[in-house]
Amino acid sequence: MATDEEIKNEFKRSGFTLVEEDDILKRCVTLCINYSLNPSDLVSSWELYHLNRQLLDQTVKKDEMDGFVLHLQNEQKESIMRAEEAGLHLYSNRDVDMLLDGVQEDTEEIVTTPTNESQRLHPDPFDSISRSRDYGYSTGKSVGHVTPFGSRIEKFVVKFNVGNVAPAENGNSNEIENSEDDIIKRVQTSQRCSLEVNGSGPEPGCRFMYDRTEDRFNVLENRIVRHADAFAASGLYEEQVDPAVASQRSIFAVGMICCDGEGHLNDKSVLLQSSAERTSGQRVPLDLNRLDQFSIFPGQIVGIEGQNPSGHYLTASKLLDSVPLIRAVDVDLPPAKRQNLDQEVLVPTEESCERSEVSFIIASGPFTTSDNLLFEPLNELLSYAKRKPPQLLVLLGPFVDSEHPEIKKGAVDATFSEIFQVEVLRKLRDYVEFMGSEVRVVLVPSIRDANHDFIFPQPPFDIHIPDLEHQMTSLSNPGTFEANQVKVGCCTVDVLKQLSGEEMSKNPSGVPTDRMSRLASHLLRQRSFYPLYPPPESLPYDSSLAPKALQILSIPDILLLPSDMRYFVKILSLGEEENAAKCVCVNPGRLAKGEGAGTFVELTYKGGPESMRASIISI
């Protein structure tokens, strides 16, 4: 057994001075015992750690010991991997720690005789990837480096709550650290929820970026016609006329807001483009000075009541930016079949349909900090989900972020697909296997995912994990699904931020407004996950790809819109007060922000938005 004096002399022989000597020597004695090291081996490991950190002074400080412990752990991992490659597993204190921490070993690494023929013919697809990559990628920093994320003090702090959240649900770092054993917690998992994907998006492997000018025109024309039919079917407005035709009387017209130029909308640049099929399709300048309140953006379909006596300028007296709440399916029916349904109102969810409680944990990428590719935030999130298991874990991309500094520089020693499989899919697979059949995981890609198609609308990930396909589901982007009859829509494009830069609004003086709610409401009012047109150059929009993928056919119960803007959970109301359709809109924020921690959302939905409970928690 190593003694304080032996360790001290070994450090002195190598030229190192101990600061806070007693504490460091006690720590070093413990390390020698735990890792079966003699003083010489311990100091040799310290010298290697010292060189990797590029430290200038020859001192050993107490605050550097945590990083040194990580360095020793990684040395142990490498030695175990080399031994396993030789067909031998060396059990050590690491194995005990893994069992105590609830980390399951990959039993497929142990050399055994396959029990059936299928195991011989169908090996685990993840095994083809080098095991050494489990422990981080080349990022220019030592693996033993203590990251800013790992050294944070506050963990799982609740930013704010919505609804009556029980005290036990307030994320508290002490509760997390002192929680019950993971196995006991796993038994307490809620009942498994149903899951149905309502997919109208593109399929994996689809052909894209072949759209033509005609395709783009048809998409815009169909949007205008569809909204015009909805206004007509409501029976609340006059017959629609061509807004470009001169008329002394008040008229009602439906068209798309456009900008007369390359810049942003202003009082002099607003145009209204009508349908080429129903009217002349011309653009006419739109005067909004008589309106006390409005909110418009390019690509928005609106109904306008006003006058155009000269034929050159339409002066608006009323602007309708919301499509009437008729049944969404009716506008696609022939007029004869639609005649008897004109007055029916669209109810977002059937009143007769029984919806049971659903619990969510919702997080949006990036899932690793900008200074490394260790995916520490994802690891922390999955640990939290093991202690407080939801029925549905919803993860929104990016997963392998193309804007990550190391990805941009190409400073990684693995392909993007390998990083996704090892750092994301394998961890999710372990999580699902550990928690059992009660939990489900939903993945939604992002156009920032370096390992996926750079296109919008975007097909789902092509994921095939044997025996777990019913628990791990990938959606298209945007996509919708139902969990226990609760309808959820999601889109990982930062449409809120883009609308914020293009919107032009006017509000009565002295009247407070909620801008984030207004921006999110535009999607519901326009029945589109992406109502902005033209899109920015950075968005790879393909108008020919799944034309109905962007449509919101019915108001969802929950709308997930991850954004770089401030996180929020808001209840949106659409329509008249008595018959208003309500939707819970969630921006979970980013799980990782630079080198630091971000936020995620824990949400429980039962019956309606009024009984919803949600917490925004800092990781």
Side-chain angles (χ1 to χ4, degrees):
M1 175 179 170
T3 63
D4 293 3
E5 193 65 28
E6 291 174 343
I7 295 173
K8 180 180 177 181
N9 292 336
E10 196 67 36
F11 272 115
K12 186 176 181 180
R13 188 179 298 111
S14 298
F16 290 98
T17 303
L18 304 182
V19 182
E20 300 179 355
E21 183 176 300
D22 292 340
D23 292 336
I24 291 177
L25 289 176
K26 287 181 181 178
R27 191 78 178 272
C28 288
V29 170
T30 302
L31 293 177
C32 287
I33 296 173
N34 290 343
Y35 294 96
S36 303
L37 300 174
N38 57 42
S40 177
D41 293 336
L42 179 74
V43 175
S44 297
S45 295
W46 171 261
E47 289 179 334
L48 180 60
Y49 173 73
H50 185 270
L51 290 172
N52 288 339
R53 290 288 303 277
Q54 298 181 354
L55 301 176
L56 299 178
D57 53 339
Q58 296 288 104
T59 60
V60 181
K61 299 178 181 178
K62 183 179 178 181
D63 57 2
E64 294 172 344
M65 295 305 294
D66 288 338
F68 180 50
V69 171
L70 292 176
H71 174 77
L72 289 176
Q73 290 175 350
N74 282 287
E75 283 189 339
Q76 291 279 320
K77 292 175 183 176
E78 291 175 0
S79 63
I80 290 171
M81 285 163 48
R82 287 194 295 268
E84 288 177 351
E85 287 176 358
L88 178 66
H89 184 80
L90 300 179
Y91 286 92
S92 66
N93 292 325
R94 173 177 173 271
D95 299 272
V96 179
D97 293 337
M98 288 172 62
L99 294 174
L100 293 177
D101 293 337
V103 179
Q104 291 185 318
E105 288 190 90
D106 191 352
T107 56
E108 293 169 356
E109 292 185 49
I110 303 174
V111 179
T112 60
T113 302
T115 57
N116 56 54
E117 190 67 21
S118 63
Q119 286 182 300
R120 301 174 187 267
L121 298 178
H122 303 287
D124 189 335
F126 295 108
D127 286 344
S128 62
I129 302 169
S130 173
R131 297 285 181 185
S132 64
R133 287 170 181 161
D134 289 348
Y135 308 112
Y137 299 86
S138 174
T139 60
K141 292 189 178 182
S142 169
V143 180
H145 176 76
V146 180
T147 64
F149 181 88
S151 61
R152 72 196 189 285
I153 299 176
E154 295 185 340
K155 300 181 180 180
F156 303 106
V157 177
V158 177
K159 297 294 186 180
F160 71 86
N161 294 318
V162 178
N164 298 321
V165 180
E169 294 185 14
N170 291 335
N172 187 300
S173 60
N174 293 330
E175 292 181 5
I176 297 299
E177 296 298 329
N178 301 321
S179 63
E180 302 174 28
D181 185 84
D182 284 347
I183 298 177
I184 299 177
K185 285 301 225 179
R186 181 174 55 177
V187 176
Q188 300 172 358
T189 306
S190 302
Q191 184 178 4
R192 180 181 178 182
C193 68
S194 64
L195 182 66
E196 179 181 353
V197 177
N198 303 323
S200 59
E203 297 295 329
C206 63
R207 184 172 179 262
F208 56 85
M209 297 309 292
Y210 285 90
D211 60 333
R212 303 165 297 174
T213 303
E214 179 183 356
D215 297 326
R216 299 202 170 202
F217 172 80
N218 289 335
V219 168
L220 297 177
E221 177 67 18
N222 291 336
R223 279 190 64 201
I224 298 174
V225 170
R226 189 164 56 249
H227 285 229
D229 288 343
F231 278 112
S234 69
L236 303 176
Y237 308 100
E238 299 178 6
E239 182 181 356
Q240 301 168 28
V241 299
D242 190 342
V245 176
S247 175
Q248 296 295 328
R249 66 180 182 87
S250 178
I251 63 172
F252 179 72
V254 178
M256 183 178 70
I257 297 294
C258 303
C259 181
D260 186 14
E262 296 294 332
H264 297 289
L265 288 175
N266 57 57
D267 292 341
K268 306 297 182 182
S269 66
V270 182
L271 302 176
L272 184 71
Q273 176 180 326
S274 59
S275 166
E277 177 184 337
R278 307 287 177 83
T279 61
S280 63
Q282 296 182 9
R283 294 182 174 183
V284 58
L286 187 61
D287 182 5
L288 303 174
N289 291 325
R290 293 186 182 180
L291 302 180
D292 296 328
Q293 183 177 9
F294 62 83
S295 174
I296 61 173
F297 57 88
Q300 182 183 28
I301 309 298
V302 297
I304 299 290
E305 290 184 1
Q307 293 180 321
N308 186 5
S310 65
H312 301 293
Y313 226 96
L314 178 61
T315 302
S317 58
K318 186 176 182 180
L319 186 147
L320 305 167
D321 62 352
S322 178
V323 178
L325 294 177
I326 65 164
R327 294 187 181 274
V329 294
D330 297 342
V331 297
D332 295 324
L333 295 176
K337 294 184 180 181
R338 200 171 59 229
Q339 183 175 3
N340 295 328
L341 301 174
D342 285 347
Q343 301 300 323
E344 294 191 18
V345 176
L346 171 66
V347 180
T349 51
E350 295 290 340
E351 297 296 333
S352 60
C353 186
E354 185 69 23
R355 289 173 292 177
S356 57
E357 182 175 320
V358 188
S359 59
F360 300 84
I361 284 182
I362 305 164
S364 175
F367 290 93
T368 186
T369 52
S370 60
D371 57 334
N372 60 62
L373 288 171
L374 300 176
F375 285 81
E376 294 171 292
L378 178 60
N379 296 336
E380 293 280 4
L381 180 71
L382 294 179
S383 297
Y384 182 90
K386 288 179 181 179
R387 293 180 171 92
K388 299 187 69 176
Q391 290 172 292
L392 206 58
L393 175 62
V394 181
L395 302 180
L396 311 165
F399 297 92
V400 184
D401 190 5
S402 59
E403 296 183 8
H404 191 284
E406 302 300 328
I407 298 293
K408 278 187 173 181
K409 292 188 297 184
V412 293
D413 55 359
T415 66
F416 302 143
S417 295
E418 288 176 346
I419 297 175
F420 179 68
Q421 289 178 339
V422 172
E423 297 294 350
V424 179
L425 289 187
R426 177 180 288 178
K427 292 174 181 178
L428 292 178
R429 183 186 66 175
D430 293 342
Y431 164 75
V432 171
E433 290 177 343
F434 177 78
M435 297 304 296
S437 60
E438 294 84 4
V439 299
R440 290 179 178 269
V441 178
V442 173
L443 305 178
V444 185
S446 166
I447 60 172
R448 284 167 52 180
D449 275 309
N451 62 305
H452 200 42
D453 296 333
F454 183 62
I455 189 63
F456 183 75
Q458 195 171 24
F461 290 120
D462 192 9
I463 300 176
H464 297 289
I465 301 179
D467 302 326
L468 294 179
E469 292 185 357
H470 63 288
Q471 286 184 263
M472 294 180 61
T473 305
S474 180
L475 300 184
S476 59
N477 175 33
T480 59
F481 64 92
E482 291 186 21
N484 286 356
Q485 305 299 326
V486 176
K487 298 181 181 180
V488 182
C490 45
C491 179
T492 58
V493 170
D494 198 345
V495 61
L496 295 178
K497 187 176 182 180
Q498 295 177 17
L499 280 174
S500 176
E502 297 293 339
E503 183 198 40
M504 172 185 169
S505 63
K506 178 182 178 181
N507 297 291
S509 58
V511 178
T513 60
D514 185 348
R515 187 161 186 258
M516 294 308 301
S517 293
R518 186 178 71 233
L519 292 174
S521 295
H522 283 313
L523 277 68
L524 301 180
R525 294 175 180 274
Q526 293 292 297
R527 303 291 191 275
S528 174
F529 284 106
Y530 194 85
L532 186 65
Y533 191 89
E537 293 182 357
S538 59
L539 183 70
Y541 175 68
D542 190 328
S543 57
S544 66
L545 194 61
K548 294 185 178 181
L550 300 183
Q551 294 181 26
I552 299 179
L553 298 179
S554 61
I555 305 299
D557 298 300
I558 302 173
L559 182 61
L560 307 181
L561 299 177
S563 172
D564 292 333
M565 304 180 77
R566 184 176 174 82
Y567 50 77
F568 64 80
V569 176
K570 297 181 181 292
I571 298 179
L572 308 180
S573 183
L574 193 65
E576 301 296 331
E577 289 298 327
E578 297 181 358
N579 299 319
K582 293 187 177 181
C583 171
V584 178
C585 186
V586 179
N587 171 20
R590 304 296 185 184
L591 193 66
K593 293 184 177 180
E595 296 185 1
T599 56
F600 66 95
V601 168
E602 190 173 17
L603 185 148
T604 301
Y605 190 98
K606 182 178 181 180
E610 294 78 7
S611 58
M612 174 268 302
R613 304 189 305 271
S615 299
I616 293 185
I617 304 172
S618 171
I619 193 76

